[in-house]
Amino acid sequence: MAAFRNLCALASRNVTHHARPVNVKALTRGLATAKAPSSLFASLDTFTDRHIGPDDGEVAHMLSKLGYDSMDAFVADTVPQKIRVSSSSVSNESIPALSESELFQRAKELGKANKPVKSFIGRLESLVNFQTMVMSLTAMDIANASLLDEATAAAEGMVMAFTGTNGKKRTFFADSGVAPQTIAVLRTRAKGFGINLVVGDALTALEDEALRADLCGVLVQYPDVDGAVKDFSGLAEAVHGAGALLVCATDLLALTMLKPPGEWGADIVLGNSARFGVPAGYGGPHAAFFACTDKLKRKMPGRLIGRSRDVNGKPAYRLALQTREQHIRREKATSNICTSQALLANMAAMYAVYHGPASLQRIAQKVHTFAQIIKSAVENYGYKAVSAQFFDTLTFEVNAVVKDAEVLHAAALAAGINLRRIDDHHVGLTLDESVGAEDVVALVNIFASAASLSPVTLADLTSTSLSSASIPESLRRTSKFLPHPVFNTHHSETEMLRYIYHLQSKDLGLVHAMIPLGSCTMKLNSTSSMIPLTWPEFASVHPFAPKDQVKGYTELIKELESDLCKITGFHACSLQPNSGAAGEYAGLSVIREYHESRGESHRDICLIPVSAHGTNPASAVMAGLKVVPVKTHADGNLDLEDLKTKAEKHKDQLAAFMITYPSTFGVFEHGVQDACKIIHDNGGQVYLDGANLNAQIGVTNPATCGGDVCHMNLHKTFAIPHGGGGPGVGPICVAEHLSPFLPTHPIISTGGDKAINAVAAAPYGSASILLISWAYIKMLGGAGLSDASKLALLNANYMAQRLSGHYNLRFKNGKGRVAHELLIDLAEFDKAAGLKVNDFAKRLQDYGFHPPTCSWPISTCMLIEPTESETLEEIDRFCDAMIQIRKEAGDIIAGKQPKDNNVLKNAPHPISVIAQSEEEWNRPYSRQTAAYPMPWLLEKKFWPTVSRIDDAYGDTHLIVSPPAKAPNDQY
């Protein structure tokens, strides 16, 4: 059937575009195209045919339009010969391809290798709802939507405290009750900023006058890592008296019963929202929450969703306070947050919407009551709880009953349960809503068994007397929470599904059209690659489960690390960074540690081209480096002379050079190896930003280009869904000499023998979604991965060829080729018609397309990337839309429409505008022109929900929650 489809497609295109038949075999030489099965028993469900959009005939058509007789000839003109790698470097010999069914079988094998043990080790929505939920539960003024994990959120809080003193106070105090993985991440971040991190008892620490004098902030956990609920109100007063900030890590479910931190003096409140309906997933992804007082809002990292209005006064939401973003502030930024775990934040918020405040409180009360029952019963056996005040977590001192804690862990494992390992004298356990009565009995009887005492029955526990003192009166919540209509409306499954679908219908996704975001590679996220992560064998695994229980995960991780090393040409890999920007930070931290190991800790200069991704300079500063910008030429290429001059000037302090390849301007620069040699000759290391790796696989690699370390965006190149801002994974691969410094973890050992401290809360970051990229690589195989890159290059160059006669194509190489993305400059339209990039972007919405990346890396440009998943039909549809918009702009230039009232300036046109009465319609063009500028829109039309947003209003009216009373079109 595939062969018939391809033959028909080719025949139709021959009639339309060619005077003579095309030799498809010749044109597609160098591409592992779909072939007839080798035998009756060969697999038919091959993934390459599913993933790559253009078929053989479409490939032939595009190559012919570009003037090539083969794929090999096209690639030769696109990728510089001296950095090309052999086809065997990434092939089906090096990475064998699995069919979809074979992938499922392999994933099942690995899943079965994980032991289904129940863990009691520890805790782990529209986005405005998420912000509102966090603000309400924490009693703070403002919250973002969202951060990577609890540990990195704590690090962001520490840096906010530090920069709040303009660096004049350098001591940050972390209470010993803070989780160890959080303290480890704090140590890594503190080093880059030169912060003095001290760990101890926060309730007594401020008695030290010297510490108070240099104190910028204090971090406490509430409840703490051992479960204790402590009154930190006095500490808050003392911290404020010292001119410092109090940062509090907490738990959302606990705050339905505990006095919220905003009511006892916290300045910043953070934590992990996984508790609200997100699977453990061996560590992630989970959305962290982050809230603060109003006076700190413009220092807050991450994404903030603001409620604004469109030009017609209709409510609309947008990203707000964007001046904080690292892409704008660059080396002046103190945070490099880009990915924000938005998909997971939506999940957590929908959990709160579905349950509402009353049900959440019932859930919390059940969890707390079970904890009370367990404490009472276990203490009857002679064990001692270390704290009488708790919510869901208990820690027991065990030596009065058993020789050491290992006896209890052995009894627990025999019952199919994991308890929290602390030391030889203590064990811990944490409960959640999934815990039932039978689990309570099983937990109590573990302690009975270890002590060789009689077990209990459920009947025995029902009569347990409970102490009201487990949450002291002064720390009980009395304020109401989640009063907004959205949290008190959708409690039946029918209503909840309608609400979710209502919100979903407002979003344009890949199900509607291509999303041609340059540098953000929005490709097919296949169902087959995402199914395994839904299986409980992967989704329900605790991140700190013993290694003998996660052999399937361990093998999968090793396979993924190995494949990523083959793809990049590097020696070793760390999967811990849970975003691309986190990967940048981790890679630069590894470079710094390498220099320190050689007695060269003074190397702190990082050279970064002005064309680099915005997160690059921000990440460098966070790693403790000083940024020196490097010029680029008018053609977009790196200025090698300027690079050489600055490398030699700073040769004694040169630590690193960060380069994006292909460049952010969308071309393969010929001088990349020369640039890397300049850096190495002057004692520095090369960090190659892997955001554009989709253009490289199978044709070149970062190691061949001359790099020492690179990060990869698995959510881009390797097909993890972006989720509106996350989840993401940004692993790093490094050359052999850097491998000893890969990050470790305090709970589960990872990394090299000279490892830097952790950069994420979980040892393997967002481990569960690693399955998606693992599956993507396994099903494509080496040859399919290489094909994907070649088709990404071909699609982009075909699009560049179609648009170049209508728009100014800003950069291309000497052969007239671009890489996997193209940059078009719209500056001429501003001068001729007062049209800016935003006008073109908004008009594209009327054509049913998400706009490309706008005003970056050049303010007057659009950066466009089609990816290999898009068919010729879809690429042509987008090009047709852009060409028609160019004609509309031409009408404005010619005076056929006024400059201040035209189809571009008024775009987009939602139904509410198109449905205006004749008296209201005051536009010099028809409704047909506004809504249906192309014939295909009559059949398939995606309607924008609102008109153009009033940015000026939004900038001056920061509203981050839904209205107290919802308008008719909301919720």
Side-chain angles (χ1 to χ4, degrees):
M1 189 65 197
F4 177 73
R5 181 196 69 179
N6 295 344
L7 181 61
C8 291
L10 176 60
S12 66
R13 284 171 175 79
N14 282 341
V15 170
T16 305
H17 298 291
H18 302 284
R20 54 188 174 80
V22 173
N23 185 335
V24 177
K25 186 175 181 181
L27 281 167
T28 56
R29 191 179 302 123
L31 190 68
T33 54
K35 299 176 181 178
S38 55
S39 74
L40 180 63
F41 303 103
S43 298
L44 296 178
D45 56 339
T46 54
F47 183 64
T48 304
D49 293 340
R50 309 280 197 270
H51 176 74
I52 293 177
D55 59 27
D56 294 354
E58 293 172 341
V59 171
H61 171 69
M62 288 189 285
L63 285 169
S64 178
K65 281 290 184 181
L66 292 171
Y68 294 100
D69 61 3
S70 73
M71 180 62 78
D72 287 342
F74 161 72
V75 173
D77 276 0
T78 306
V79 184
Q81 182 60 41
K82 58 185 178 182
I83 63 163
R84 291 284 305 278
V85 295
S86 68
S87 59
S88 61
S89 64
V90 181
S91 64
N92 281 351
E93 286 69 41
S94 62
I95 305 177
L98 300 178
S99 68
E100 290 180 335
S101 55
E102 289 169 338
L103 185 281
F104 281 4
Q105 183 178 348
R106 175 65 176 145
K108 281 292 185 185
E109 290 173 0
L110 294 177
K112 288 178 181 177
N114 295 328
K115 292 182 181 178
V117 176
K118 190 154 188 175
S119 293
F120 296 84
I121 299 173
R123 328 178 171 85
L124 289 175
E125 168 190 79
S126 102
L127 293 177
V128 168
N129 291 345
F130 180 84
Q131 292 174 174
T132 306
M133 171 187 77
V134 171
M135 290 159 59
S136 183
L137 286 167
T138 63
M140 299 302 287
D141 298 324
I142 196 165
N144 67 17
S146 46
L147 293 180
L148 296 173
D149 58 37
E150 183 173 320
T152 52
E156 298 288 346
M158 175 180 70
V159 174
M160 276 181 67
F162 170 65
T163 58
T165 69
N166 294 317
K168 294 177 181 177
K169 294 184 175 185
R170 293 189 167 272
T171 298
F172 187 84
F173 195 97
D175 186 70
S176 52
V178 172
Q181 64 270 24
T182 299
I183 291 176
V185 172
L186 289 179
R187 293 193 191 283
T188 312
R189 190 73 61 90
K191 186 174 182 177
F193 282 93
I195 296 171
N196 175 33
L197 178 65
V198 180
V199 180
D201 183 357
L203 291 174
T204 61
L206 268 64
E207 296 171 3
D208 184 335
E209 287 297 326
L211 184 143
R212 285 172 57 89
D214 192 50
L215 188 70
C216 64
V218 174
L219 172 66
V220 296
Q221 191 130 6
Y222 173 78
D224 74 11
V225 68
D226 293 324
V229 176
K230 299 176 182 178
D231 187 345
F232 292 118
S233 57
L235 175 65
E237 290 182 12
V239 170
H240 294 152
L245 299 182
L246 183 62
V247 185
C248 174
T250 190
D251 174 71
L252 293 177
L253 190 65
L255 295 185
T256 65
M257 294 186 69
L258 300 181
K259 187 176 183 178
E263 292 181 7
W264 51 251
D267 300 287
I268 298 171
V269 182
L270 54 92
N272 194 311
S273 63
R275 187 66 169 266
F276 277 24
V278 181
Y282 198 38
H286 310 124
F289 61 86
F290 192 99
C292 65
T293 58
D294 184 73
K295 67 180 180 180
L296 296 175
K297 64 187 177 185
R298 296 191 179 272
K299 300 290 185 181
M300 185 170 58
R303 296 183 175 196
L304 194 69
I305 311 300
R307 176 163 58 89
S308 184
R309 65 187 185 189
D310 71 3
V311 293
N312 298 310
K314 189 175 181 180
Y317 293 98
R318 64 169 204 156
L319 287 174
L321 291 187
Q322 294 185 46
T323 52
R324 298 183 332 276
E325 292 295 315
Q326 70 288 339
H327 285 83
I328 298 170
R329 299 189 66 198
R330 300 175 70 84
E331 67 270 12
K332 294 180 181 178
T334 55
S335 170
N336 67 347
I337 294 295
C338 191
T339 298
S340 64
Q341 311 292 41
L343 175 63
L344 293 312
N346 279 294
M347 291 172 65
M350 285 297 181
Y351 180 90
V353 169
Y354 189 39
H355 286 291
S359 183
L360 288 175
Q361 202 156 37
R362 285 193 292 268
I363 292 169
Q365 186 63 63
K366 174 187 173 183
V367 169
H368 181 56
T369 300
F370 279 174
Q372 289 178 299
I373 291 171
I374 291 170
K375 175 181 178 292
S376 177
V378 170
E379 287 193 323
N380 285 340
Y381 289 122
Y383 302 93
K384 180 64 177 176
V386 300
S387 177
Q389 297 171 349
F390 57 89
F391 167 63
D392 64 345
T393 297
L394 298 166
T395 298
F396 293 101
E397 199 284 320
V398 303
N399 294 134
V401 182
V402 297
K403 182 175 66 173
D404 61 50
E406 194 54 45
V407 177
L408 273 161
H409 290 300
L413 285 173
I417 287 173
N418 287 326
L419 299 176
R420 175 175 168 241
R421 292 180 179 272
I422 302 174
D423 54 35
D424 292 342
H425 314 294
H426 301 85
V427 297
L429 60 91
T430 297
L431 309 182
D432 60 30
E433 67 170 291
S434 69
V435 175
E438 65 280 4
D439 297 310
V440 174
V441 172
L443 283 166
V444 171
N445 284 334
I446 288 168
F447 290 86
S449 174
S452 301
L453 297 172
S454 299
V456 298
T457 65
L458 181 59
D460 296 327
L461 298 178
T462 55
S463 60
T464 302
S465 59
L466 305 177
S467 171
S468 61
S470 54
I471 297 179
E473 190 73 32
S474 62
L475 292 179
R476 291 179 189 171
R477 182 161 197 147
T478 58
S479 56
K480 295 185 180 298
F481 57 92
L482 303 182
H484 306 81
V486 68
F487 299 108
N488 295 276
T489 306
H490 314 287
H491 300 327
S492 73
E493 187 167 348
T494 303
E495 283 301 312
M496 186 65 182
L497 289 172
R498 286 172 179 160
Y499 174 56
I500 293 172
Y501 188 78
H502 169 65
L503 293 185
Q504 172 190 316
S505 69
K506 297 182 180 185
D507 291 339
L508 186 148
L510 282 172
V511 295
H512 301 100
M514 72 185 294
I515 301 180
L517 283 167
S519 228
C520 278
T521 310
M522 300 289 284
K523 62 171 72 178
L524 170 71
N525 311 129
S526 73
T527 301
S528 55
S529 64
M530 290 191 281
I531 285 176
L533 71 91
T534 67
W535 300 340
E537 296 91 337
F538 294 112
S540 300
V541 179
H542 194 279
F544 303 153
K547 284 211 166 184
D548 65 344
Q549 295 176 13
V550 289
K551 292 181 179 178
Y553 254 122
T554 300
E555 190 168 353
L556 182 149
I557 285 168
K558 286 181 178 178
E559 288 183 9
L560 181 56
E561 288 176 342
S562 174
D563 288 344
L564 292 176
C565 285
K566 292 172 185 175
I567 288 165
T568 61
F570 283 131
H571 178 77
C573 176
S574 170
L575 297 171
Q576 192 175 116
N578 46 10
S579 80
E584 295 172 7
Y585 169 66
L588 292 169
S589 298
V590 163
I591 288 174
R592 290 222 69 184
E593 196 72 16
Y594 165 75
H595 287 311
E596 285 192 22
S597 73
R598 293 158 54 88
E600 296 183 316
S601 57
H602 58 277
R603 290 191 174 272
D604 63 352
I605 297 293
C606 185
L607 304 181
I608 304 180
V610 295
S611 61
H613 284 125
T615 52
N616 286 181
S619 297
V621 169
M622 287 172 57
L625 299 170
K626 299 170 185 175
V627 175
V628 175
V630 179
K631 298 176 183 177
T632 56
H633 291 299
D635 63 0
N637 284 328
L638 181 68
D639 187 331
L640 289 176
E641 285 302 315
D642 189 53
L643 177 68
K644 188 173 188 292
T645 298
K646 288 171 177 172
E648 291 176 349
K649 176 183 177 180
H650 299 289
K651 64 180 180 180
D652 295 329
Q653 292 82 38
L654 183 60
F657 170 52
M658 297 188 81
I659 186 171
T660 300
Y661 200 74
S663 79
T664 309
F665 292 151
V667 292
F668 284 97
E669 297 186 45
H670 282 262
V672 62
Q673 290 176 322
D674 298 329
C676 295
K677 185 178 187 302
I678 290 170
I679 301 303
H680 291 143
D681 287 348
N682 288 279
Q685 295 286 289
V686 176
Y687 181 98
L688 199 147
D689 186 308
N692 294 343
L693 196 69
N694 205 50
Q696 292 190 41
I697 303 176
V699 295
T700 186
N701 63 50
T704 300
C705 291
D708 299 290
V709 56
C710 77
H711 86 268
M712 294 151 285
N713 298 80
L714 297 193
H715 47 291
K716 296 181 183 181
T717 306
F718 299 97
I720 294 172
H722 284 61
V729 184
I732 56 172
C733 284
V734 298
E736 187 170 4
H737 65 281
L738 295 179
S739 60
F741 308 98
L742 290 174
T744 187
H745 192 275
I747 310 297
I748 305 294
S749 179
T750 61
D753 55 10
K754 301 177 183 178
I756 64 169
N757 269 305
V759 296
Y764 299 103
S766 296
S768 68
I769 56 173
L770 297 177
L771 276 83
I772 302 173
S773 295
W774 169 82
Y776 174 86
I777 292 170
K778 291 303 181 190
M779 287 190 293
L780 280 176
L785 289 165
S786 180
D787 287 354
S789 287
K790 293 172 184 177
L791 263 297
L793 296 173
L794 180 61
N795 282 352
N797 277 274
Y798 173 79
M799 183 178 282
Q801 190 270 341
R802 280 214 62 196
L803 294 180
S804 59
H806 307 276
Y807 294 94
N808 174 24
L809 181 62
R810 188 66 183 268
F811 301 115
K812 51 192 175 184
N813 69 12
K815 300 284 188 178
R817 301 277 71 92
V818 298
H820 65 310
E821 55 192 0
L822 56 141
L823 198 65
I824 61 170
D825 198 339
L826 306 175
E828 61 185 284
F829 301 102
D830 188 7
K831 296 174 183 177
L835 296 172
K836 300 185 182 298
V837 176
N838 202 34
D839 300 313
F840 286 82
K842 299 300 183 183
R843 183 56 173 155
L844 258 175
Q845 295 179 26
D846 287 327
Y847 288 77
F849 286 106
H850 192 293
T853 297
C854 294
S855 304
W856 188 85
I858 298 173
S859 62
T860 58
C861 289
M862 278 184 168
L863 186 62
I864 307 171
E865 181 185 357
T867 84
E868 73 277 5
S869 315
E870 302 300 341
T871 61
L872 177 61
E873 179 183 17
E874 184 69 0
I875 292 169
D876 276 337
R877 199 166 69 90
F878 178 84
C879 291
D880 290 343
M882 289 295 294
I883 292 168
Q884 183 64 23
I885 293 172
R886 172 63 180 86
K887 293 176 181 177
E888 293 172 346
D891 287 345
I892 299 166
I893 295 171
K896 296 180 181 179
Q897 288 190 41
K899 289 185 178 181
D900 61 346
N901 182 17
N902 56 67
V903 73
L904 271 78
K905 284 292 183 184
N906 293 334
H909 299 81
I911 291 177
S912 58
V913 169
I914 299 299
Q916 288 177 344
S917 67
E918 291 295 333
E919 293 76 19
E920 293 174 300
W921 187 264
N922 61 348
R923 310 185 184 210
Y925 51 89
S926 68
R927 290 178 172 83
Q928 174 82 16
T929 298
Y932 299 103
M934 299 295 285
W936 37 262
L937 289 165
L938 293 167
E939 179 185 355
K940 187 172 69 173
K941 170 77 175 177
F942 181 87
W943 289 96
T945 306
V946 295
S947 299
R948 191 170 305 199
I949 293 176
D950 185 344
D951 285 326
Y953 176 87
D955 288 342
T956 56
H957 298 78
L958 181 61
I959 307 169
V960 296
S961 61
K965 185 177 181 181
N968 293 334
D969 65 329
Q970 280 188 289
Y971 309 128

